[in-house]
Amino acid sequence: MKVYFSKEFLTVFLSKPAYNSDADQFLDLLLSSYSEIQIIQEGASTTEAFANSELRLRYGISGGSRTFSLSDNIEKEIATCSTDCISLYFTSETRDKSLYENPNVIVLTLEDYEGKITQFKKELTFGFILDNLKDWNKLTLSQSSLVKRHLRKLTVLDPYIFSEYYKSGREENIERPFLYILNKIVEEDYLCDLEILTITEEYDHQRKSVVSYARDIRGIKEFLDGVMPSLSSLKVIDNGKSNRSSKFDFHDRNIYSNLFILKVGVGFTEKHSDYTNSEVECYSIFDKWGHDLIRHRKRMVSKYVQTVRPKIYN
């Protein structure tokens, strides 16, 4: 994650005698304790400015997983930032209004950052007991303004998300539970990139051979292409369950993005049991725990794809 600061915003923030609001406490924690972040301050990129930066000195930002740099054209740099991570921009006002339309940039001004961060934390940090099927109605991420504006890619980790379709070949077993739950996370018009790690082949102990679901995957892709026209990229990755020598175990069921991570033990499915002992939890980049979970999952998936080279259906 990249975090940008204008001169004016830092002047106000660093002059506060105490950080009492939820937003200020989040920002203080982000600067002092978050890992794998890049801090970019507006200013001349000189050795002297770097050495004397109050922000860098106060928070001990000295390299490693927390880096610090200066930029004399900060909004130009933000406009060309990478699409594989989210950027936070704290400023007094934005000269380049197009940044508000950039899904990879969350603009937070002196006037609205406290209200926005409080709202985002409320919308993206929650939990509920999954006691019966109706409890899925408590999942309302798709109504979040932050999700609508900034969510473009989702990664699903669930080995059995398509298991009912594999058994029946019926499209209704894709619509429910997969699309039913997906639409509670993001509206179809806002999702461009969907990545799913799941079983695409399975070892049959009776036949002592691997059974491939490649034909079913093609059917799933064709169906989703028809009902989710906004998708520009759909990728199904084998999660390696049939590879008994794999060192990677994607047991826990997660759905994550650059903004949040959803966790549920029983899986993203409508179980036929009347009751379960499972719960749904959601954490976001506005919680250190959420940030840590997201970066762990992203790193694990990336390492898995690079080292194991699993079957990928694009």
Side-chain angles (χ1 to χ4, degrees):
M1 181 165 62
K2 292 184 177 182
V3 188
Y4 295 86
F5 293 96
S6 73
K7 294 176 183 178
E8 295 82 5
F9 186 95
L10 279 181
T11 298
V12 174
F13 179 75
L14 294 176
S15 66
K16 292 187 177 184
Y19 298 130
N20 297 318
S21 71
D22 285 346
D24 283 343
Q25 288 175 6
F26 155 72
L27 192 46
D28 185 50
L29 182 65
L30 181 149
L31 289 166
S32 62
S33 302
Y34 273 47
S35 298
E36 295 182 23
I37 61 171
Q38 299 176 51
I39 309 298
I40 302 96
Q41 175 184 328
E42 183 181 25
S45 183
T46 65
T47 302
E48 182 181 2
F50 181 91
N52 295 329
S53 167
E54 182 182 353
L55 176 66
R56 186 185 69 83
L57 293 171
R58 178 183 294 192
Y59 287 99
I61 307 169
S62 57
S65 68
R66 296 164 62 240
T67 64
F68 176 85
S69 63
L70 291 146
S71 173
D72 56 6
N73 197 338
I74 199 166
E75 292 198 355
K76 182 178 179 180
E77 182 175 331
I78 295 171
T80 59
C81 65
S82 172
T83 60
D84 62 357
C85 70
I86 203 77
S87 295
L88 306 181
Y89 178 31
F90 293 89
T91 183
S92 58
E93 62 176 334
T94 304
R95 294 179 291 275
D96 183 355
K97 302 304 180 184
S98 68
L99 291 180
Y100 283 103
E101 306 304 319
N102 189 329
N104 303 303
V105 180
I106 300 176
V107 178
L108 300 152
T109 69
L110 282 170
E111 291 185 354
D112 66 21
Y113 82 100
E114 294 202 22
K116 279 186 176 181
I117 290 174
T118 300
Q119 177 188 352
F120 297 158
K121 287 172 70 71
K122 182 179 179 180
E123 292 175 345
L124 302 183
T125 304
F126 59 84
F128 57 87
I129 296 172
L130 196 60
D131 198 32
N132 59 59
L133 301 183
K134 292 182 180 179
D135 287 319
W136 279 116
N137 292 326
K138 298 175 183 177
L139 182 59
T140 57
L141 279 171
S142 62
Q143 298 176 21
S144 164
S145 59
L146 183 69
V147 169
K148 288 182 178 180
R149 185 179 292 272
H150 298 285
L151 178 63
R152 292 297 179 270
K153 178 181 178 180
L154 271 183
T155 299
V156 179
L157 307 179
D158 190 332
Y160 303 110
I161 195 74
F162 297 129
S163 59
E164 292 301 315
Y165 179 78
Y166 291 162
K167 295 175 185 177
S168 68
R170 295 162 63 182
E171 291 181 349
E172 63 188 63
N173 290 130
I174 306 175
E175 293 173 339
R176 300 182 74 96
F178 180 68
L179 282 181
Y180 169 74
I181 294 174
L182 192 68
N183 286 335
K184 292 183 176 297
I185 299 170
V186 57
E187 294 178 5
E188 293 172 1
D189 292 343
Y190 295 95
L191 186 61
C192 298
D193 194 347
L194 180 60
E195 182 178 70
I196 306 165
L197 272 79
T198 191
I199 291 174
T200 67
E201 57 184 29
E202 206 161 8
Y203 187 78
D204 188 320
H205 292 277
Q206 291 184 336
R207 299 178 182 177
K208 295 183 179 181
S209 62
V210 173
V211 177
S212 172
Y213 298 118
R215 182 180 297 178
D216 297 291
I217 297 296
R218 286 195 293 271
I220 291 168
K221 286 172 63 62
E222 289 174 3
F223 177 77
L224 293 179
D225 284 342
V227 300
M228 303 185 73
S230 62
L231 277 181
S232 59
S233 175
L234 173 60
K235 184 184 298 181
V236 180
I237 304 172
D238 181 70
N239 72 343
K241 188 173 177 65
S242 67
N243 182 358
R244 288 169 291 179
S245 64
S246 175
K247 297 179 181 179
F248 293 83
D249 185 356
F250 292 100
H251 175 274
D252 286 8
R253 279 68 156 179
N254 302 153
I255 294 179
Y256 68 84
S257 71
N258 285 332
L259 297 170
F260 62 81
I261 181 168
L262 271 171
K263 295 160 53 66
V264 58
V266 76
F268 295 95
T269 182
E270 297 173 289
K271 293 295 182 182
H272 297 293
S273 306
D274 290 333
Y275 302 98
T276 74
N277 67 336
S278 195
E279 59 277 333
V280 177
E281 299 171 89
C282 188
Y283 305 96
S284 77
I285 57 173
F286 298 98
D287 309 284
K288 184 177 183 300
W289 178 238
H291 172 71
D292 288 343
L293 286 173
I294 293 167
R295 66 189 183 89
H296 172 270
R297 299 302 190 270
K298 291 175 72 173
R299 185 169 58 247
M300 183 177 176
V301 169
S302 177
K303 188 173 182 180
Y304 170 71
V305 171
Q306 290 174 13
T307 59
V308 177
R309 299 187 181 280
K311 289 184 179 180
I312 299 177
Y313 299 83
N314 286 306

